[in-house]
């Protein structure tokens, strides 16, 4: 029936409370503002702007599309594998509408996306589907040793023409690479370069973000 077809959401996830959206959004903007002025970044500017250009305004480069959230299960209205099972999981039902405290431990930037890495607690991992980091799901070679939950992130922005699903893939790719070269100590933490325009800032102090576990229908 139509009701059954439309009863599953586009995705489940943690949605940052509105005051936290502002805080995280501002931190991300400050980071981008600083990053594109660093000599280390300018040295690799061609990753973002092409050979001819000498500058890129990262704040303009990325656009934000959705309310800030950390997707747990992409259901695609029930069409995605495991969507119905996820929605029926007693932990999912019990947690629905509850507020959690997410720990944002890193910010990362690639020519495609900018995002925040979320380090999930044991309790939060109970809401994380088992197959999210599988190679068959991700489509890029992912080392089997990446722990469950490695893909957890908040998409902060995407380059023109890039879909938000890319952010988690970019994060997984960075995590499979050897640790990048430390290029700069910033106020927020240490910045590393992973080649091909991939940057990751490990936060000295993780950002604690209150977020409601819920779903998005669109
Ligand atoms: O930034 P995100 O985690 O990446 O949040 C959005 C949200 O669902 C709605 O677009 C995520 N998303 C889209 N497609 C997929 C997919 N195939 N697998 C996992 N997450 C997805 C997207």
């Amino acid at each position: 029936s139509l009701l059954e077809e439309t009863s599953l959401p586009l995705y489940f996830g943690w949605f940052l409370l509105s005051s936290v959206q502002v805080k995280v959004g501002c931190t991300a903007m400050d980071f981008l503002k600083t990053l594109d002025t660093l000599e280390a970044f300018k040295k690799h500017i061609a990753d973002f702007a092409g050979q001819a250009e000498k500058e890129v305004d990262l704040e303009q480069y990325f656009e934000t599309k959705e309310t800030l959230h950390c997707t747990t299960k992409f259901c695609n209205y029930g069409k995605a594998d495991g969507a119905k099972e996820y929605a029926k999981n007693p932990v999912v039902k019990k947690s629905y509408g509850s507020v959690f405290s997410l720990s944002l431990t890193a910010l990362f930037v690639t020519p495609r996306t900018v995002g925040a890495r979320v380090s999930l607690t044991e309790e939060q991992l109970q809401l994380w589907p088992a197959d999210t980091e599988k190679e068959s799901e991700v489509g890029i070679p992912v080392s089997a040793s990446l722990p469950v939950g490695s893909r957890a992130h908040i998409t902060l922005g995407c380059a023109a023409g890039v879909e938000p699903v890319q952010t988690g893939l970019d994060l997984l790719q960075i995590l499979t690479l050897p640790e990048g070269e430390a290029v700069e100590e910033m106020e927020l933490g240490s910045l590393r370069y992973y080649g091909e325009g991939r940057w990751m800032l490990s936060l000295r102090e993780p950002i604690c973000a209150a977020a409601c576990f819920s779903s998005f229908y669109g």
Side-chain angles (χ1 to χ4, degrees):
S1 72
L2 185 61
L3 183 65
E4 274 167 10
E5 279 167 30
T6 55
S7 61
L8 283 180
L10 182 59
Y11 61 92
F12 285 89
W14 289 285
F15 295 79
L16 302 199
L17 303 192
S18 59
S19 60
V20 183
Q21 301 238 3
V22 174
K23 183 176 100 175
V24 172
C26 288
T27 306
M29 279 306 167
D30 285 346
F31 170 53
L32 293 180
K33 222 185 260 179
T34 310
L35 181 61
D36 64 20
T37 63
L38 298 178
E39 283 312 314
F41 182 83
K42 288 184 180 168
K43 205 170 101 187
H44 301 287
I45 200 91
D47 297 339
F48 281 82
Q51 298 294 341
E53 269 134 306
K54 292 195 168 52
E55 278 186 11
V56 59
D57 182 345
L58 288 179
E59 279 179 282
Q60 304 280 318
Y61 185 90
F62 295 109
E63 26 190 284
T64 321
K65 288 179 189 159
E66 302 172 49
T67 54
L68 299 186
H69 70 273
C70 175
T71 304
T72 54
K73 177 66 186 173
F74 180 71
C75 292
N76 199 14
Y77 306 110
K79 292 196 283 279
D81 280 351
K84 290 187 188 72
E85 292 74 14
Y86 184 86
K88 278 190 212 146
N89 181 336
V91 186
V92 169
K93 287 187 179 172
K94 185 181 72 108
S95 307
Y96 200 83
S98 300
V99 174
F100 290 73
S101 176
L102 298 183
S103 179
L104 282 46
T105 52
L107 301 175
F108 57 94
V109 173
T110 76
R112 297 165 297 277
T113 64
V114 51
R117 184 181 188 188
V118 179
S119 297
L120 300 174
T121 63
E122 285 301 319
E123 186 198 16
Q124 291 161 0
L125 280 170
Q126 292 185 5
L127 293 165
W128 195 256
D131 288 346
T132 315
E133 285 84 17
K134 285 251 178 74
E135 185 168 337
S136 57
E137 170 72 19
V138 170
I140 52 166
V142 166
S143 142
S145 62
L146 278 187
V148 169
S150 296
R151 188 174 173 170
H153 70 278
I154 295 166
T155 297
L156 298 168
C158 294
V162 175
E163 294 298 326
V165 65
Q166 187 62 44
T167 317
L169 305 180
D170 283 357
L171 173 59
L172 285 177
Q173 198 185 59
I174 290 173
L175 296 178
T176 59
L177 295 169
E179 191 170 58
E181 59 168 309
V183 286
E184 188 106 5
E185 280 304 315
M186 298 176 75
E187 209 178 303
L188 289 170
S190 48
L191 179 70
R192 289 177 184 273
Y193 181 59
Y194 290 80
E196 296 177 22
R198 297 168 294 203
W199 300 85
M200 182 134 99
L201 174 79
S202 301
L203 296 172
R204 218 182 301 284
E205 300 269 336
I207 299 170
C208 177
C212 181
F213 180 68
S214 180
S215 61
F216 180 83
Y217 281 82

